[in-house]
Amino acid sequence: MTDDQAIMQAKEHFGKILAEQMKRVEIMKAGQDWVDYAHQKPLVIGFVDGDGIGPYITREARRVLEHLLKKEIDEGRVQTREIGGLSIEERVKVMKALPEESLEDLKKCHVILKGPLTTPKKGDPWPNLESANVAMRRELDLFANVRPVKVPEEEIDWIFFRENTEDAYVLGSQGINVTPDLAVDFKVISTPGSERVARLAFEYARKNGIKRVSAVTKANVIKTTDGKFLETARAVSKEYPEISFDDWFVDIMAAKLVDVKRRKDFKVIVLPNLYGDILTDEAAEFQGGVGTAGSANIGKRYAMFEAIHGSAPRMVQEGRAIYADPSSMMRASTMLLRHIGFAEQAQKLEMALDICGQYEKRLVITGRPGGATGEEFANYVMETMQDPELEKRWRSFAG
Ligand code: IPM
Ligand code: MG
């Protein structure tokens, strides 16, 4: 192929991508109302096992969740169901990041609790399929990835609003090898895409009496797309005069998160997809690692809750899957409960998780033999939740 032909081919590909993206933007602009969970009967919770340690930790989180919602399940107000077809083997079999049947099943749920799914990368034994996580976020239009991180003794209380459907992710599997020596990927940011996540972040701040929202970009270098994200977030901030707005570049923000004197001042942080991916792993480390952090993927119609970590295939290969920490999935479950209006149950679980994982630590998960198993830890959490003195016990630690 001549260089001219290669360029023509790349242009054609680019043209198609632009047409698709313009359509996506139009759909976003048309808007959609938030689903009202209070009036859904039954309210359907789907469970996706995931790969690797996924089935182990999802099982424990499900057990806790079904225990907390026992009455509602018995009364038929809440229904739970399993969604199959999403393991890496099954995805590879049909060569789809998100098999149609599974997507149909997901769409029959209101909210989903999902174990980590293997994302193949170049060089893996798997074909280089798109990430099922990314496909699910896009197909269900889960535009905000909400990730709280708390370390009370260090006064850290952050909540990240990571844009979840755009940026380097939306076309992450549609880059072009223009020639064997030249590869180009695309980063896409839209006004409605930025606006809706910024608005959610500011609404959260307003509802929770938080006086500061910080945006993170690299708008000094990635001028057009990050520039748009920043400009849009700033425009939204004008509608919230009681909340102060500031912006940071992602490199210095990565540094400030380890700055003991400054980091406690950050509260709500709103940022594009990739920076959000990176900073939330960093942030979770202060709280005890990615195994302790839950994540909510929020859309107007659907919401999906998951751990922020991967499927840890090494733990399975080494026979350590039963020692995997289900805390992240349980933290995700607290967010799920709150999202569908079960705040009281969410608070119980949160307190129990704080007691078991951070304060009392009668059982400690190390990820290895010698530490507690996920099942033992879940039993500890269930027992703690049922303690009539739960709140008193929690206050004795948390003050
Ligand atoms: C996350 C994960 C995913 C992401 C991967 C598995 C595709 O790292 O949820 O943060 O990059 O978003
Ligand atoms: Mg990540």
Side-chain angles (χ1 to χ4, degrees), residues 290-337:
V290 289
T292 62
S295 155
N297 296 267
I298 307 290
K300 291 192 173 170
R301 172 72 187 82
Y302 303 102
M304 184 260 281
F305 301 79
E306 60 183 346
I308 81 164
H309 57 75
S311 56
R314 201 173 309 140
M315 288 192 80
V316 182
Q317 280 152 26
E318 294 171 4
R320 296 188 283 117
I322 57 167
Y323 299 102
D325 190 348
S327 304
S328 53
M329 292 295 284
M330 293 186 195
R331 289 277 173 200
S333 306
T334 68
M335 300 174 88
L336 181 151
L337 286 166

Side-chain angles (χ1 to χ4, degrees), residues 118-335:
T118 299
T119 296
K121 66 170 187 302
K122 215 166 183 105
D124 279 355
W126 309 107
N128 202 8
L129 280 179
E130 186 190 19
S131 154
N133 302 294
V134 174
M136 209 182 285
R137 291 167 186 168
R138 186 185 57 237
E139 294 302 321
L140 302 178
D141 203 24
L142 309 175
F143 63 85
N145 194 322
V146 185
R147 299 183 161 182
V149 169
K150 267 193 206 150
V151 190
E153 62 274 24
E154 313 242 348
E155 291 173 73
I156 291 175
D157 191 356
W158 300 326
I159 185 158
F160 292 83
F161 285 79
R162 165 186 173 188
E163 199 291 320
N164 213 20
T165 52
E166 305 201 323
D167 192 14
Y169 279 71
V170 61
L171 297 172
S173 299
Q174 296 186 63
I176 312 177
N177 283 302
V178 182
T179 70
D181 293 327
L182 179 63
V184 178
D185 267 315
F186 302 105
K187 171 168 165 125
V188 180
I189 286 191
S190 71
T191 306
S194 307
E195 192 188 320
R196 59 187 187 173
V197 70
R199 195 170 295 287
L200 202 66
F202 276 97
E203 281 298 315
Y204 179 88
R206 177 171 277 174
K207 273 198 202 109
N208 290 279
I210 297 169
K211 294 289 173 235
R212 181 178 184 190
V213 173
S214 310
V216 175
T217 66
K218 188 72 187 176
N220 52 341
V221 177
I222 323 284
K223 293 181 188 297
T224 312
T225 45
D226 279 6
K228 177 172 282 304
F229 189 90
L230 177 55
E231 177 188 282
T232 309
R234 181 169 294 127
V236 171
S237 78
K238 303 277 186 261
E239 296 170 37
Y240 299 82
E242 80 279 17
I243 297 169
S244 74
F245 175 73
D246 48 14
D247 82 279
W248 298 76
F249 297 133
V250 61
D251 49 351
I252 189 65
M253 184 53 114
K256 285 296 133 195
L257 292 186
V258 294
D259 178 343
V260 185
K261 287 199 291 291
R262 301 289 298 281
R263 65 181 177 196
K264 52 180 183 292
D265 299 333
F266 296 113
K267 297 291 172 213
V268 173
I269 299 158
V270 61
L271 68 186
N273 211 337
L274 182 60
Y275 309 141
D277 176 46
I278 298 167
L279 288 192
T280 53
D281 269 21
E282 183 194 356
E285 200 62 28
F286 300 115
Q287 174 184 276
V290 289
T292 62
S295 155
N297 296 267
I298 307 290
K300 291 192 173 170
R301 172 72 187 82
Y302 303 102
M304 184 260 281
F305 301 79
E306 60 183 346
I308 81 164
H309 57 75
S311 56
R314 201 173 309 140
M315 288 192 80
V316 182
Q317 280 152 26
E318 294 171 4
R320 296 188 283 117
I322 57 167
Y323 299 102
D325 190 348
S327 304
S328 53
M329 292 295 284
M330 293 186 195
R331 289 277 173 200
S333 306
T334 68
M335 300 174 88

